[in-house]
Amino acid sequence: MTTTAAETNERAVDRGLFRRSASSVYATGRGTPEAPGGRVSVAVYAEDLILQTGVVHQLRPRPEIELIAESEADRAQVSLVVVDMVNEPTIQLLNRLQRNTSTRTGLVVGFFESGALQTMIECGVAAVLRRGEADQDSLVHLVTAMANGEGVLPGDLLGKLLTHVSSLQRTVLDPRGLSLSTLTTREAEMIRLVSEGYGTAEIAQKTSYSERTVKNVLHEVATRLELRNRAHAVGYAMRHGLI
């Protein structure tokens, strides 16, 4: 009876057999280890020996990377998951890795279904690379970007993510006067009007709020975000792309 790749993968997760990199480990005290010479410590999780060997072979010679031994894998700065596709065993592994808040998780995947984007976000994946594009430089870029707190997505997935966020803002948050940013929709609108040179009375007229409400809203923003004045609030909002 032929065993499918998915069945093999499921059994691997059930028995804890996702393969991890086996190499020397360098750790300093507790928490996330710092690799020699500022290198990024990486644990590789792959669903079969071929995938694991291929990625390890690409990363091992690079001076930016320090592969972490299996016994210390939970202490890596970056966990790199290498799979054919995002299925239930992969989701179980990603959820387990997400519980380790000192490690960022990247995904190298052969086939990425459109519906997997939401799952990836929920599982805390910080970066994605398609296996067909996973040469040595791309893998190192992915790992070092994650170690620096950055996210990496293929262009088409980034477009889908932005569409998803836009839809979420429009259909869920806007009707409730909420925003994905640190400002509510009302706060962002008032600060935008301040940035255009309008005074309190003019903002009240344009937003159909009382002058007292406008003053209170702007004061609340300044207090919450520890901003000195309206000019500071405008500068903050512009720097963070909130208006």
Side-chain angles (χ1 to χ4, degrees), residues 48-205:
D48 60 51
L49 181 60
I50 293 176
L51 293 180
Q52 190 258 356
T53 301
V55 172
V56 169
H57 177 75
Q58 296 274 26
L59 294 177
R60 192 188 301 277
R62 293 296 292 255
E64 307 97 319
I65 305 299
E66 176 74 5
L67 291 173
I68 294 298
E70 181 173 349
S71 61
E72 298 287 341
D74 290 341
R75 302 180 65 193
Q77 292 170 274
V78 171
S79 295
L80 197 58
V81 177
V82 189
V83 295
D84 285 322
M85 62 184 298
V86 177
N87 53 20
E88 188 57 35
T90 305
I91 294 170
Q92 291 176 20
L93 173 63
L94 293 174
N95 282 328
R96 180 168 68 79
L97 294 175
Q98 188 178 20
R99 293 195 290 269
N100 184 355
T101 57
S102 64
T103 299
R104 305 197 81 210
T105 301
L107 181 67
V108 180
V109 60
F111 175 68
F112 197 91
E113 296 178 326
S114 58
L117 180 60
Q118 179 67 31
T119 300
M120 178 195 74
I121 296 171
E122 293 173 351
C123 291
V125 173
V128 177
L129 180 66
R130 286 192 171 88
R131 270 178 45 203
E133 303 169 354
D135 58 19
Q136 188 179 85
D137 289 338
S138 296
L139 286 169
V140 172
H141 170 71
L142 190 81
V143 167
T144 54
M146 283 192 291
N148 290 328
E150 302 171 6
V152 179
L153 284 177
D156 61 314
L157 292 186
L158 179 59
K160 290 177 182 178
L161 177 60
L162 293 175
T163 299
H164 172 77
V165 170
S166 176
S167 175
L168 175 64
Q169 180 72 58
R170 183 177 63 255
T171 62
V172 178
L173 299 181
D174 282 348
R176 295 169 172 79
L178 302 174
S179 171
L180 286 169
S181 72
T182 53
L183 302 177
T184 66
T185 302
R186 182 174 68 170
E187 291 169 345
E189 174 64 10
M190 289 186 182
I191 292 179
R192 184 185 65 78
L193 291 171
V194 170
S195 73
E196 294 175 359
Y198 292 107
T200 301
E202 294 169 305
I203 294 173
Q205 183 179 16

